[in-house]
Each structure stands twice: as C-alpha cells, then as structure tokens.
Amino acid sequence: EPEVTQTPSHQVTQMGQEVILRCVPISNHLYFYWYRQILGQKVEFLVSFYNNEISEKSEIFDDQFSVERPDGSNFTLKIRSTKLEDSAMYFCASSDTYNSPLHFGNGTRLTVT
Amino acid sequence: GENVEQHPSTLSVQEGDSAVIKCTYSDSASNYFPWYKQELGKRPQLIIDIRSNVGEKKDQRIAVTLNKTAKHFSLHITETQPEDSAVYFCAASKGNYGQNFVFGPGTRLSVLP
C-alpha cells in the first residue's frame, strides 16, 4: 500500500534557526496538508495545498511558515525562524480528492532548544 | 469556524466489553466524519468514516453513528481487545475546495486484560 513518507523523523534545532521538513505524498494524490501535534494534544491543522497554491491556512500558519512543492513529488514545510513553541510532531498528509480520507506520514518530531 | 468536541478524554474498559466515544461538531455544513486511531509515537490511521447521507456504518467490531440534527457522531467498538488501546480522534470536514479537517481533542482508550 502506498504511503506518505516524511524526512527527517527527528530534527533538533536551535531557536531562531530555519528548518525544512520534507514530505513525499502518495503519487496520485492532489491535496496536501501539514498538521502538527504538540505532545499529548490534538492534531492541529496548519495548511492545505492544491494546484500549486495554498488553499487554506490556520491562524498558526503565520509569516514564519511557508510551503512549497519544488518538484512533482516533494512537499515541504519551512519554518523561517524557529521558536521554542514550535516544538511538536509535524505530520504531512495527502488525499486524492477534496473530501476523501487523509493519509498521514509518520511525522517529523521537531525539537527547538 | 468548525469546533469539534470529544468525550470522554480517557476511557478504560475490560477486555471484551464495548467502548463508546462521542463527538459533537458545530458547523452544520460539515458532511464528512472520519475516525483515526493513533498508537503511541505513530501516525494517525483511519479506522472508519461516515458521510452525512448515511446514519450508520459498520466494519467488523467497529461502527460509527451520525445524528445530523443533533450534530453528533459516535464510535462504537465491540468485543474490545488489548490492541485496541490507543488514542482515538474524531474529525469533521465540509468537503469544500481547500477544506481542512478539524480534529477533536482525542480519547485515550485503555483495554484492560
């Protein structure tokens, strides 16, 4: 069964540094998402992406965040200047249509020190 | 925007008993309701979903019911097994272009042997 893959599995960075989290969605999927989950809390929506543009974003997704689909397979989340409160598990997800199940990757655990 | 509440936050049952988790949503336009299971340190995985044109759906030991009028939906697990122990998240979406899934806060289910 095809899977969403994310790299790295764990990223440690210092406050103020830039990080890029990488995702390879399922190949025939058209809708891509980033969610985050602070330890022990619920899964929170960050951004959705379709047709090479952001279709929706949450209040969390401020100017420090950006997404990109640099080629036909990768989907990245960039945090420009990390803060301590950015520490969380970041999940990439994809779906084949706009109202079909999300398929999540295994996540990248980001630790900001 | 959409708000999804979920109860209880923790649930302990004896192996073989049934477990019920309930969610309410606020946006009457929501029309798709998936349930995800998340084991410790792993990705959320879809276990069952229901659309607004259906009142009930069953898949072996798992069933979901939806009451659109009351804006609530429930997950029912029968004959629970230790491997059912996990955090369960409900979610709601409107299925519009650029939609995002709004997740409930999660229920930690423990099945005691």
Side-chain angles (χ1 to χ4, degrees):
Chain A
E1 186 179 335
E3 289 186 346
V4 175
T5 58
Q6 287 185 247
T7 54
S9 56
H10 193 187
Q11 173 95 42
V12 181
T13 190
Q14 288 192 325
M15 197 167 52
Q17 295 296 304
E18 175 183 287
V19 293
I20 297 176
L21 309 183
R22 303 181 191 279
C23 169
V24 178
I26 294 173
S27 61
N28 63 338
H29 285 188
L30 301 176
Y31 295 82
F32 313 121
Y33 310 81
W34 283 100
Y35 284 80
R36 80 172 186 189
Q37 186 178 34
I38 295 170
L39 188 63
Q41 297 187 22
K42 70 175 175 180
V43 180
E44 298 178 291
F45 171 73
L46 294 178
V47 65
S48 59
F49 191 88
Y50 170 72
N51 201 25
N52 285 320
E53 62 182 18
I54 290 173
S55 43
E56 190 172 353
K57 59 184 180 180
S58 71
E59 294 173 351
I60 303 168
F61 195 88
D62 61 22
D63 292 344
Q64 294 299 312
F65 290 86
S66 62
V67 290
E68 195 177 35
R69 186 154 165 83
D71 53 44
S73 59
N74 290 284
F75 179 51
T76 62
L77 174 70
K78 181 192 290 186
I79 308 175
R80 224 177 311 279
S81 177
T82 50
K83 303 187 286 271
L84 295 176
E85 53 265 38
D86 293 329
S87 295
M89 180 74 90
Y90 288 80
F91 288 105
C92 175
S94 68
S95 64
D96 55 355
T97 67
Y98 60 83
N99 204 19
S100 57
L102 299 182
H103 296 259
F104 285 90
N106 280 327
T108 293
R109 181 167 296 286
L110 177 65
T111 302
V112 182
T113 61
Chain B
E2 174 70 279
N3 182 48
V4 177
E5 297 187 353
Q6 186 172 346
H7 299 280
S9 56
T10 60
L11 178 60
S12 293
V13 298
Q14 289 294 135
E15 183 177 355
D17 287 351
S18 295
V20 180
I21 303 170
K22 299 183 179 181
C23 286
T24 60
Y25 61 99
S26 60
D27 191 339
S28 55
S30 289
N31 58 17
Y32 175 63
F33 308 94
W35 284 89
Y36 285 83
K37 175 184 180 183
Q38 187 179 31
E39 296 175 6
L40 190 62
K42 296 191 176 180
R43 72 178 89 183
Q45 291 197 294
L46 179 76
I47 55 171
I48 197 166
D49 57 6
I50 192 166
R51 299 189 185 273
S52 59
N53 58 345
V54 175
E56 184 173 356
K57 184 176 177 180
K58 190 172 180 181
D59 182 5
Q60 298 183 333
R61 297 185 297 110
I62 296 173
V64 57
T65 58
L66 171 65
N67 184 325
K68 282 193 66 181
T69 304
K71 290 190 284 192
H72 68 69
F73 56 112
S74 300
L75 177 71
H76 305 252
I77 306 174
T78 59
E79 300 171 24
T80 52
Q81 300 165 3
E83 52 265 37
D84 294 330
S85 296
V87 178
Y88 291 80
F89 293 97
C90 61
S93 82
K94 288 184 281 190
N96 297 323
Y97 171 75
Q99 58 79 28
N100 76 81
F101 290 74
V102 178
F103 284 81
T107 295
R108 181 172 299 279
L109 173 64
S110 299
V111 180
L112 309 173

